[in-house]
Amino acid sequence: MQHLQPNTTLQGGKYRIERVLGQGGFGNTYVGVNTVFNERVAIKEFFMKGVTQRDDNQTTVSVSNSENIDSFQQQKEKFKKEARRIRQLRNEHIIAVHDMFEENGTAYYVMDYVDGENLAERLKRTGHPMTEQEVLEILPQILDALNTVHNASIWHLDLKPANIMVDKKGNIKLIDFGASKQLNAHKGGATTSTAISYTNGYAPREQMEQNYDKFGSWTDFYSLGATLYNLLTKNHPPLPTDIEDDLTEDKQKVFPFPLNIGCTMKKLVLWLMNTNLRHRPQKVEEISSFINSSFNENTILIDSFKRENTIAEYPIVNEKNKRPWLIRILFACACFLALTLIGWSIYDKTHESIAHGVEAKEEDKTMSFIPLEAKKGNLETIVQKIIDNMVRVEGGSFIMGA
């Protein structure tokens, strides 16, 4: 028996198991109930496949081979450290840990229950990729979670669709910190030298090579780019070596995007997944600033983060999406010129009577805004004066005529 049975109780009846939610190589996750408050919770149990087993009572966990006892104890401590690490991360977009204890020869911790699905399950259920707009709606929540994680000197190191939960209201929760590592406050890199697991396609070169000294926030950003690519295409992200082997300018061979994905989104993914860690964004603020400044006004705006100490260069975006005001100004100028020509036509008809001292009617005065000293045939002079006094655009700034 690999998992606990329904109605099994823990902590003297405080928690009751309802059903299995998921199983992995290092643990089982259950849907449970906190009987004290009658609240649904998620309960994670440390259980090493191939190393541990259930005893005859179907609850107690034991190590099947005595040679693996030390490994079991070491991994159990790592499991408990994961719970403590999540506990310190207070953010609405990060799963919260409420309790931790040892029982049945193993360890457990209690988390929020998310009534929803992870993004990998969503892709499978819908059968099609997410739209660019749908991705932009969840991206700020993911960035907010990563900002909190990185500010606590922690790397997630396993960001992928399966580790991002979304509830029925569209709220995001980042889960599974089993691969996470704490930053070395003095010299960078991971505080431990134990092997770090990763998922092919979502891990950059420095993680695949276990090069701890080169780990940083940029390591998670590579995984974020791979996650966005998978959500937008349903394709598995390419390996770093495949990206480097593609010599096309926009990496179109290894990143075949659907036609409905815009140029800016493509550039964002390529920026995040740059195989050179120094050419990726270094902070969440850089990603947020790029998104806010690059997507046009019809796209959902993302809550801005304060930009500080920008290191990486932003990818170049399509300028035509950044100048909607220029088109409006040119249209206004054209309308103004058309009204001027109409005024000239009216003035031309009444000029002769005005020249002989005949007083114009009141309604004609309202239309005759061309200077009275104007003479018939000097249309070019009038138009030039109008142009000189119109709003002009020089080098992207507005200048009023004298």
Side-chain angles (χ1 to χ4, degrees):
M1 182 65 62
Q2 299 291 314
H3 56 80
L4 295 173
Q5 295 299 296
N7 295 318
T8 301
T9 58
L10 300 168
Q11 291 292 280
K14 182 179 180 179
Y15 301 106
R16 184 179 71 252
I17 301 297
E18 286 192 339
R19 59 184 174 85
V20 177
L21 185 61
Q23 294 179 284
F26 289 89
N28 302 315
T29 304
Y30 306 94
V31 177
V33 175
N34 181 325
T35 60
V36 177
F37 298 105
N38 193 32
E39 293 177 342
R40 183 160 286 177
V41 295
I43 303 173
K44 192 169 183 178
E45 174 190 50
F46 179 63
F47 189 92
M48 294 178 67
K49 284 185 177 180
V51 175
T52 54
Q53 61 185 11
R54 298 279 179 192
D55 291 348
D56 293 338
N57 61 12
Q58 297 185 345
T59 56
T60 303
V61 174
S62 62
V63 180
S64 55
N65 190 323
S66 59
E67 294 179 355
N68 293 324
I69 293 177
D70 289 344
S71 176
F72 173 81
Q73 292 298 331
Q74 181 183 17
Q75 293 299 322
K76 186 175 70 172
E77 289 304 312
K78 182 180 177 182
F79 177 87
K80 292 162 65 176
K81 184 183 291 186
E82 173 189 346
R84 297 188 187 99
R85 193 168 285 161
I86 302 174
R87 173 81 175 179
Q88 67 178 294
L89 300 173
R90 305 291 180 163
N91 185 292
E92 62 179 328
H93 301 304
I94 299 174
I95 202 76
V97 170
H98 304 290
D99 198 1
M100 181 177 68
F101 53 88
E102 290 197 39
E103 190 171 340
N104 299 327
T106 189
Y108 300 84
Y109 64 80
V110 182
M111 308 172 287
D112 291 332
Y113 170 72
V114 180
D115 187 13
E117 59 190 351
N118 66 53
L119 294 180
E121 292 171 336
R122 174 175 175 168
L123 289 179
K124 184 176 181 179
R125 175 179 59 81
T126 61
H128 57 74
M130 295 175 66
T131 66
E132 185 172 316
Q133 184 64 30
E134 288 172 336
V135 169
L136 286 173
E137 288 171 357
I138 66 172
L139 184 54
Q141 300 180 59
I142 300 173
L143 289 174
D144 187 40
L146 285 178
N147 196 50
T148 296
V149 171
H150 295 166
N151 284 342
S153 299
I154 296 172
W155 303 312
H156 188 278
L157 299 180
D158 198 20
L159 189 63
K160 57 186 178 182
N163 287 338
I164 302 172
M165 297 290 297
V166 57
D167 66 19
K168 294 180 179 180
K169 296 181 179 180
N171 299 313
I172 291 295
K173 293 279 188 181
L174 186 59
I175 66 171
D176 198 345
F177 284 73
S180 64
K181 292 294 180 183
Q182 196 89 23
L183 291 175
N184 188 315
H186 300 291
K187 60 180 181 179
T191 56
T192 63
S193 59
T194 56
I196 297 175
S197 60
Y198 60 84
T199 305
N200 276 330
Y202 295 90
R205 183 184 300 279
E206 67 267 20
Q207 188 173 356
M208 296 177 69
E209 295 176 350
Q210 305 285 296
N211 197 338
Y212 308 110
D213 291 338
K214 292 185 178 180
F215 283 15
S217 56
W218 47 85
T219 308
D220 281 339
F221 295 151
Y222 184 98
S223 303
L224 174 61
T227 296
L228 297 182
Y229 177 71
N230 178 248
L231 296 178
L232 292 165
T233 66
K234 280 195 70 180
N235 297 332
H236 192 79
L239 295 173
T241 51
D242 295 330
I243 298 174
E244 291 177 343
D245 288 342
D246 185 354
L247 300 180
T248 60
E249 184 178 357
D250 56 359
K251 303 291 184 181
Q252 60 182 346
K253 292 182 179 179
V254 292
F255 290 106
F257 285 95
L259 295 177
N260 63 338
I261 302 302
C263 180
T264 303
M265 179 61 76
K266 294 177 184 178
K267 290 179 183 295
L268 175 60
V269 172
L270 293 178
W271 184 32
L272 293 169
M273 293 189 70
N274 197 303
T275 55
N276 187 328
L277 61 88
R278 293 181 180 85
H279 294 167
R280 293 177 220 145
Q282 309 292 293
K283 293 183 178 182
V284 166
E285 293 94 327
E286 296 175 38
I287 304 172
S288 180
S289 295
F290 169 75
I291 294 170
N292 279 320
S293 64
S294 301
F295 287 90
N296 63 40
E297 59 188 13
N298 295 321
T299 304
I300 184 171
L301 294 179
I302 295 186
D303 296 334
S304 61
F305 290 94
K306 183 179 179 182
R307 284 185 60 191
E308 296 178 353
N309 303 322
T310 300
I311 299 176
E313 295 182 356
Y314 297 158
I316 299 174
V317 298
N318 193 340
E319 290 296 325
K320 70 180 181 180
N321 290 331
K322 298 180 67 177
R323 288 190 171 180
W325 50 267
L326 183 57
I327 297 175
R328 287 195 286 268
I329 289 174
L330 293 175
F331 179 77
C333 291
C335 292
F336 187 85
L337 184 58
L339 290 174
T340 300
L341 294 175
I342 293 173
W344 164 252
S345 177
I346 295 173
Y347 169 78
D348 188 55
K349 291 179 180 180
T350 60
H351 178 266
E352 183 176 353
S353 61
I354 292 175
H356 287 83
V358 180
E359 186 174 346
K361 294 181 180 181
E362 186 66 23
E363 55 268 27
D364 289 334
K365 288 182 180 179
T366 61
M367 297 296 291
S368 300
F369 53 87
I370 304 300
L372 291 178
E373 66 269 23
K375 302 298 181 181
K376 185 175 181 180
N378 64 348
L379 176 59
E380 292 182 359
T381 303
I382 294 172
V383 172
Q384 184 60 46
K385 287 183 179 180
I386 293 169
I387 293 174
D388 289 342
N389 286 277
M390 286 172 59
V391 176
R392 303 195 307 276
V393 179
E394 293 184 2
S397 62
F398 297 99
I399 301 175
M400 292 298 299

